[in-house]
Amino acid sequence: MNIESLIRENIRALKPYHSARQDYLSGILLDANENSFGSVITIDNLSLNRYPDPYQREVRTVLAAMNDVALENIFVGVGSDEVIDLIVRVFCEPRWDSVVLLDPTYGMYRVAASIQDVQVRSCLLTEDFQIDVEAVKKMVDSDTKLIFCCSPNNPTANLLHDEDILALCKLGAIVVVDEAYIDFAKKESLAKLVLDHPNLVVLRTLSKAWGLAGIRLGYCIADALIISYLMKVKPPYNINALTSRTTLQALSKGVEVHQTVDAIIQEREWLVEELGQLLCIEHVFPTDANFILVRCTDATALYRILAGKDIIVRNRSTEPLLENCLRITVGTHRENEMLIQAVKEYYA
Ligand SMILES: *Cc1c(COP(=O)(O)O)cnc(C)c1O
């Protein structure tokens, strides 16, 4: 498969901005109009007066080792949201190309495509929230550059079948698999498959299992060619020094993350059990994520009752296939108890 031919012509020809710190990270640095006297405050002994490494070599080295791929297979963004935006910009010609989404799914794919004036083709998941491969096939044509899959999917909470994702990889477009919630599933990431599938992009984030939504760090794993084009179009210093440092510290805490994930999964199972016993909840969908999708007798009423008690969940009931559905994030045990209590008080 020729990936280069899927890249927009202007991006193929683009001469990227040549930034300071690209060639020299140390020495007598008089090349970037920084403040050589230092910064007004210092945090963690970081040289905050200097622009950070535009290649993010340290962070990418650690992420590469963690995912058993090379540094050249890792791209780091300001959350996965930036990665999604840049993928659209590398591949999709505004007003000409299209992307396919598997609805109901994460809202940012549609927003990123729409900002670029790229056509969005929505293919519904099946009743059990799996990929309708035949339906996707019919939607894809030579101007379809991207197919977005989310596994486990937000908001339906289930994993998609690997064999369906791999079937999509044969359709001639780039397949983006968003694994934001993969740490909560008892399943391996597809990351290593990028080594034999040059059109597969796997998205990961530190915002969920790692508990670091505040620092904005997401990344993707893909063939080196795709990574090289993302590097070309990204803002030169997209990842700041504080985020890089925090990331490096966090990535050494794998054991602790694993423990937290186990605790969240245990809470999830408790919550699934409790929600299943409530009369106002008709169905609790199976979950491989840190949230639960439920079908209620009246989602909007329940949503309002909970909001009235300062318990905020997500009302997804206007989306296709999600009539009367709420999405509930697993909280601490105390928070989960308060949620169940609030529902019981009202519907007792
Ligand atoms: C939360 C979430 C993300 C994370 O986005 P960041 O920009 O990395 O915080 C990505 N994809 C999905 C499906 C999500 O639900």
Side-chain angles (χ1 to χ4, degrees), residues 69-82:
V69 294
L71 171 99
E72 291 74 22
N73 298 114
I74 301 280
F75 176 82
V76 186
V78 180
S80 354
D81 288 349
E82 185 184 48

Side-chain angles (χ1 to χ4, degrees), residues 263-276:
I264 293 171
I265 291 174
Q266 205 178 330
E267 268 315 304
R268 177 181 81 192
E269 301 315 317
W270 181 85
L271 203 48
V272 164
E273 185 71 25
E274 292 288 317
L275 289 166

Side-chain angles (χ1 to χ4, degrees), residues 78-81 106 109 150 154 178 180-181 205 207-208 216-218:
V78 180
S80 354
D81 288 349
Y106 185 49
Y109 316 136
C150 185
N154 177 4
D178 187 342
Y181 300 99
T205 179
S207 295
K208 307 291 155 62
R216 309 306 302 129
L217 194 116

